[in-house]
Amino acid sequence: MSRRRTYRDLIETELETMPLMGLFVVLIPMLLLSAVFLQISVIDLNLPEETAAELDRQREQLALTVEIGDEAFIVSAKGVGSRTIPRDGEDARDRLLGELAGIHENHPRNRAVTIVSRPETRYEDIILVMDVSREAGLPHASLLGKEL
């Protein structure tokens, strides 16, 4: 009786891994070099609260708002009035900083500002107002959307 030959009996060679290792030696450094590493930062943002107690407390406070318009920043607060700062000059950022810092000096307990923007307002403009308000001593920024 003859023994039937199987596929295992026919092939008894070792697997050559050298070409695969060579591929990995080239591929892994290329993937690492082509990877993009991003630095991610966090911007603290507070949404306005709508509870009745919070609304009563806000009525007693300053209620400082900065509206981002197409041609001007409109800074308004309860008891202070409304001031328009044109955005056409290079010193618009400094004038906004001076205005917010002056309001913060007169009302040191207030550390909040509400930024009012429209849907077409650029992201960079919102971040600019947030940075300026933080420099002026108003670290708690809330964002409010305004429809046309």
Side-chain angles (χ1 to χ4, degrees):
M1 205 182 235
S2 77
R3 189 177 141 204
R4 185 170 186 199
R5 290 183 127 188
T6 63
Y7 184 72
R8 185 178 285 171
D9 293 336
L10 295 175
I11 300 176
E12 290 189 21
T13 61
E14 292 184 24
L15 184 64
E16 290 189 34
T17 58
M18 288 305 288
L20 185 63
M21 289 173 54
L23 178 69
F24 286 142
V25 166
V26 173
L27 187 63
I28 290 175
M30 289 301 291
L31 289 174
L32 288 175
L33 288 175
S34 65
V36 177
F37 298 100
L38 298 175
Q39 180 179 1
I40 298 174
S41 60
V42 176
I43 298 174
D44 292 330
L45 183 67
N46 300 322
L47 297 176
E49 295 190 25
E50 296 183 11
T51 62
E54 184 66 26
L55 289 175
D56 290 339
R57 192 172 65 85
Q58 284 181 357
R59 287 187 192 114
E60 296 171 3
Q61 288 185 348
L62 185 62
L64 176 62
T65 61
V66 177
E67 184 176 340
I68 304 171
D70 292 332
E71 298 176 6
F73 296 114
I74 302 169
V75 179
S76 60
K78 186 187 293 186
V80 176
S82 178
R83 296 185 182 110
T84 303
I85 301 169
R87 294 177 56 182
D88 56 357
E90 295 176 0
D91 62 339
R93 182 186 193 284
D94 296 332
R95 287 185 287 169
L96 180 62
L97 177 62
E99 187 68 36
L100 291 177
I103 292 173
H104 181 64
E105 284 180 17
N106 294 334
H107 305 278
R109 291 181 55 205
N110 183 42
R111 297 177 49 98
V113 62
T114 302
I115 301 169
V116 181
S117 65
R118 295 187 180 98
E120 66 271 359
T121 303
R122 294 180 353 167
Y123 178 74
E124 291 83 11
D125 295 337
I126 296 171
I127 297 300
L128 171 82
V129 174
M130 289 176 76
D131 289 341
V132 168
S133 64
R134 194 175 303 121
E135 287 178 33
L138 304 165
H140 303 292
S142 299
L143 188 60
L144 184 65
K146 180 179 180 181
E147 293 294 324
L148 294 177

